[in-house]
């Protein structure tokens, strides 16, 4: 499946919502991908904020789930760039971190989930934030 294609839900043919998971730890990305796919989401991955920006340009996700501390571009800068761009300003963002949230990111992410976290909390938070919206619906408003 190419990056531009989106999977369809097996039950009703609707497009699956896409979550971009951004974390420099491949094991964390794998675990989050597994959790979210089991929760019914399509998942794209990026290893840092810079790779995330490239991924978003290639395919707009419905939600971004990002770690805070990463090389190249950390989660704080990623969130600031997304919020500062009209095309991505309304994109739901979840910050997952083991560190204290920096003042620069306070209020920029829609939700913050501290590590370690209960796996079900991730899927519940994603579902709550998406609430039936699609990326195309947000761009049209």
């Amino acid at each position: 499946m190419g990056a531009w294609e989106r999977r369809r839900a097996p039950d009703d043919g609707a497009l699956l919502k896409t979550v971009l998971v951004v974390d420099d730890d491949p094991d964390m990305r794998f675990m989050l991908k597994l959790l979210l796919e089991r929760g019914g989401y399509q998942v794209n991955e990026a290893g840092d904020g810079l790779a995330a920006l490239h991924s978003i340009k290639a395919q707009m996700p419905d939600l971004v789930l990002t770690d805070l501390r990463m090389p190249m571009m950390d989660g704080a800068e990623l969130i600031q760039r997304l919020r500062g761009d009209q095309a991505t300003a309304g994109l739901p963002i979840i910050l997952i971190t083991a560190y204290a949230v920096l003042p620069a990111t306070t209020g920029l992410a829609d939700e913050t989930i501290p590590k370690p976290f209960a796996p079900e909390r991730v899927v519940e938070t994603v579902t709550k934030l998406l609430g039936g919206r699609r990326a195309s619906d947000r761009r049209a408003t």
Side-chain angles (χ1 to χ4, degrees), residues 30-41 43 117-120 122-123:
F30 177 77
M31 184 194 65
L32 290 168
K33 180 176 180 163
L34 206 61
L35 281 171
L36 292 166
E37 285 179 343
R38 287 182 180 166
Y41 297 98
V43 179
F117 53 82
E120 62 275 3
V122 173
V123 176

Side-chain angles (χ1 to χ4, degrees), residues 124-138:
E124 288 169 1
T125 304
V126 167
T127 301
K128 178 181 93 171
L129 285 178
L130 288 177
R133 295 180 299 173
R134 295 180 193 276
S136 58
D137 295 338
R138 282 194 310 282

Side-chain angles (χ1 to χ4, degrees), residues 94-128:
I94 300 172
L95 180 64
I96 294 185
T97 184
Y99 300 95
V101 178
L102 302 173
T105 58
T106 302
L108 291 178
D110 295 288
E111 294 282 342
T112 300
I113 299 175
K115 290 180 186 176
F117 53 82
E120 62 275 3
R121 179 163 182 212
V122 173
V123 176
E124 288 169 1
T125 304
V126 167
T127 301
K128 178 181 93 171

Side-chain angles (χ1 to χ4, degrees), residues 2-3 6 21 33 49 54 58 66 79 85 107-108 125-126 131:
R6 296 186 66 183
V21 173
K33 180 176 180 163
H54 292 295
T66 185
I79 293 169
D85 183 338
L108 291 178
T125 304
V126 167

Side-chain angles (χ1 to χ4, degrees), residues 24-79:
D24 60 322
D25 181 346
D27 292 333
M28 180 62 71
R29 285 196 317 267
F30 177 77
M31 184 194 65
L32 290 168
K33 180 176 180 163
L34 206 61
L35 281 171
L36 292 166
E37 285 179 343
R38 287 182 180 166
Y41 297 98
Q42 180 175 332
V43 179
N44 295 332
E45 302 175 53
D48 59 62
L50 192 57
L53 290 177
H54 292 295
S55 177
I56 290 166
K57 284 183 183 177
Q59 178 187 356
M60 179 69 77
D62 293 293
L63 182 141
V64 173
L65 191 153
T66 185
D67 188 21
L68 183 59
R69 306 275 179 163
M70 297 178 289
M72 301 292 287
M73 179 190 296
D74 66 15
E77 185 176 347
L78 172 62
I79 293 169

